[in-house]
Amino acid sequence: MKKVLVAEDSGFFGRMLKKKLEAETGRQVCWARTMQEACQFIEETPGGFAAGIVNFNLPDAPGGEIVARLRQKHIPVIVFTSVVNKEIRDRIWEQKVVDYVYKEGAQSLDYLVTLLNRLDRNDAIKVMVVDDSPLQRQVMADLLRVHRYQVLEAADGGEALEHLARHPDIKLVVCDFHMPHMDGFELTQTIRKTHSQENLAIIGISALGDNVMAARFLKCGANDFIIKQHFLTEEFYCRISQSIENLENIQAIRTAATTDFLTGISNRRFLFEHGDRIYNQMMGSCQALCCAVLDIDHFKKVNDTFGHQAGDLALKKVAKLLQEELPVSSVVARIGGEEFCALVPGGKEEVVPLFEGIRCAIADLPLCMASDSKSIRITVSIGISSEPGRNLLDMLSRADAYLYQAKKEGRDRVVF
């Protein structure tokens, strides 16, 4: 993990920055009090820095010279200063800094942490700029690259759609209105046929912008709109970040809704929402599919004897083992208190031995509690259905019936 360079002559702010950034980002912070010390850190750190957080006024660089020096070394620069001066502020933004942050107490420190984390995530995010003006397109693309986005460029709607076909993981499109062959409204509507607002954000932009233009872009499916005449780098970055963060928040909610909070694997909702699709795909291509239901034996006794912490550990260990041992194409979910379900591609000749191995591995798996030297051992019963049945629910019911049979016959076994 790359380090963060802090250039700050104030002992108070320097100590606060170093302590907070190291604690909340996990990065090592190199704190320099002068530009000379900062340059020495740069020479001694061959791997480079993730970012440089610099005071505009340093003892040996009172005019913000350190900004240009760090930019020459391709280090993303965040200016952290108490200087409130429009002329200086405009001059700094012209040097393509990541941000200009005022020293306003604890809130500004929290913002710096958020900003550094944002830069880390941006490395994996693809953004496309669509504008028929090479100059305007280059200006926006360069700004986005300062924030470390992966940037694609398109001169018109047709080229933009080609990029989307090749890169379906694009998360944001910045789209001009006035373009040949296909204007921004038409491009936005076309993109929305295949990419929802929950998966891809669109920001309309135009030199002819007004409230009517903004409303039309939004009605066509855009998430936001920027007027070129009023273009401010700071506003541009804020709108870009807000759009990306909205997508991330939606994804986080989706993940939380379909993930078991304790084990980290999928939950019952995910299994039933996506299981039918998987079942139909496998049946449609005449591929074999097995449905397995697994239950920890005497789980209530584990909780009653050793406490719920031991029960939680058992659930986590079983979930982890299932993820590690089953093929990556499988779907594994916790569907009840101590009950798991897995959809595994393949016939029973392949799948049954696989689960026999898992059953033995769980029986040999010691669960050691940190507060107790004793180790706990558990067993599982497993029911496997390899008959396609009428639908996934039918297949699951058959596997559940086999599970009940395994329990009835003495537990710690696989029935199919």
Side-chain angles (χ1 to χ4, degrees):
M1 183 178 287
K2 287 187 176 181
K3 302 175 184 178
V4 172
L5 176 64
V6 169
E8 173 59 67
D9 59 318
S10 164
F12 173 73
F13 278 108
R15 282 188 293 273
M16 278 205 309
L17 279 169
K18 182 174 175 64
K19 182 178 179 180
K20 188 173 183 69
L21 296 179
E22 288 186 339
E24 298 189 24
T25 69
R27 293 183 182 275
Q28 183 180 341
V29 173
C30 297
W31 173 25
R33 293 175 181 266
T34 64
M35 185 168 80
Q36 183 179 357
E37 288 180 16
C39 292
Q40 186 175 345
F41 275 127
I42 293 171
E43 295 303 319
E44 295 172 353
T45 310
F49 288 91
I53 300 174
V54 304
N55 189 353
F56 182 76
N57 292 324
L58 293 173
D60 57 345
E65 293 86 353
I66 190 168
V67 176
R69 183 65 62 89
L70 265 62
R71 288 289 296 137
Q72 290 171 0
K73 298 292 183 178
H74 305 291
I75 298 173
V77 180
I78 302 167
V79 177
F80 185 55
T81 181
S82 56
V83 175
V84 183
N85 181 305
K86 185 179 184 305
E87 182 182 348
I88 291 176
R89 184 185 179 89
D90 291 344
R91 180 152 52 91
I92 289 174
W93 276 116
E94 288 174 0
Q95 296 185 67
K96 293 185 170 59
V97 298
V98 170
D99 211 337
Y100 186 105
V101 183
Y102 290 123
K103 293 177 177 177
E104 296 177 319
Q107 185 178 359
S108 59
L109 294 176
D110 290 339
Y111 179 76
L112 287 174
V113 170
T114 301
L115 188 57
L116 286 174
N117 290 334
R118 175 77 268 157
L119 289 176
D120 279 344
R121 296 197 297 275
N122 288 352
D123 278 332
I125 296 174
K126 293 180 182 178
V127 177
M128 178 167 62
V129 178
V130 190
D131 197 314
D132 62 318
S133 165
L135 177 61
Q136 292 288 342
R137 190 170 67 246
Q138 189 64 48
V139 166
M140 289 186 285
D142 287 347
L143 290 175
L144 290 165
R145 290 188 179 102
V146 170
H147 273 232
R148 291 165 50 177
Y149 291 102
Q150 297 181 40
V151 183
L152 294 91
E153 300 179 40
D156 56 41
E159 189 177 354
L161 295 175
E162 290 175 6
H163 278 318
L164 271 174
R166 288 194 298 269
H167 303 274
D169 55 340
I170 289 173
K171 287 297 177 186
L172 174 68
V173 175
V174 181
C175 171
D176 186 31
F177 165 67
H178 188 73
M179 295 184 294
H181 312 303
M182 182 187 299
D183 65 28
F185 296 154
E186 186 179 352
L187 176 59
T188 299
Q189 290 173 323
T190 304
I191 291 173
R192 283 291 172 242
K193 292 177 182 178
T194 53
H195 296 75
S196 73
Q197 287 188 326
E198 297 178 351
N199 296 312
L200 181 146
I202 299 174
I203 298 179
I205 189 165
S206 177
L208 306 174
D210 55 21
N211 292 338
V212 174
M213 174 77 72
R216 288 195 63 189
F217 252 117
L218 295 173
K219 287 180 178 180
C220 287
N223 300 70
D224 204 348
F225 178 76
I226 299 174
I227 301 174
K228 284 184 181 179
Q229 296 99 312
H230 303 155
F231 187 94
L232 286 175
T233 300
E234 197 166 9
E235 178 192 7
F236 179 75
Y237 281 143
C238 286
R239 291 180 182 275
I240 293 290
S241 295
Q242 186 177 63
S243 293
I244 293 294
E245 284 166 8
N246 285 342
L247 294 181
E248 291 174 339
N249 290 337
I250 290 170
Q251 184 57 50
I253 292 170
R254 281 178 175 171
T255 300
T258 57
T259 302
D260 177 56
F261 74 97
L262 178 64
T263 62
I265 64 174
S266 301
N267 61 14
R268 186 183 187 90
R269 177 177 180 174
F270 180 90
L271 178 71
F272 283 100
E273 283 186 353
H274 297 270
D276 280 331
R277 176 177 53 81
I278 294 167
Y279 174 89
N280 291 331
Q281 284 178 348
M282 299 297 286
M283 297 304 108
S285 57
C286 298
Q287 297 182 63
L289 178 70
C290 284
C291 176
V293 179
L294 178 152
D295 187 271
I296 299 176
D297 297 324
H298 302 298
F299 185 70
K300 185 177 184 300
K301 187 177 179 181
V302 174
N303 279 332
D304 292 345
T305 305
F306 302 101
H308 287 280
Q309 187 178 359
D312 289 350
L313 179 61
L315 292 168
K316 290 177 184 178
K317 290 282 189 179
V318 169
K320 185 173 184 292
L321 197 145
L322 287 170
Q323 283 186 306
E324 291 174 347
E325 297 299 324
L326 292 176
V328 292
S329 55
S330 304
V331 175
V332 182
R334 181 185 174 199
I335 58 173
E338 67 272 23
E339 194 170 16
F340 299 82
C341 180
L343 299 178
V344 185
K348 65 180 179 181
E349 298 81 7
E350 313 157 57
V351 176
V352 170
L354 187 59
F355 276 97
E356 279 287 1
I358 289 172
R359 181 191 63 79
C360 293
I362 292 173
D364 293 336
L365 187 67
L367 306 176
C368 299
M369 303 297 293
S371 59
D372 196 338
S373 58
K374 296 179 181 178
S375 63
I376 307 164
R377 294 190 180 275
I378 59 172
T379 62
V380 295
S381 299
I382 305 172
I384 300 175
S385 170
S386 58
E387 303 93 341
R390 294 167 297 175
N391 49 42
L392 177 63
L393 189 58
D394 188 30
M395 205 175 190
L396 183 61
S397 297
R398 290 172 185 267
D400 205 42
Y402 289 133
L403 171 64
Y404 178 77
Q405 184 180 338
K407 294 282 189 183
K408 191 176 179 180
E409 292 177 2
R411 297 180 170 84
D412 189 21
R413 64 195 62 215
V414 178
V415 174
F416 54 93

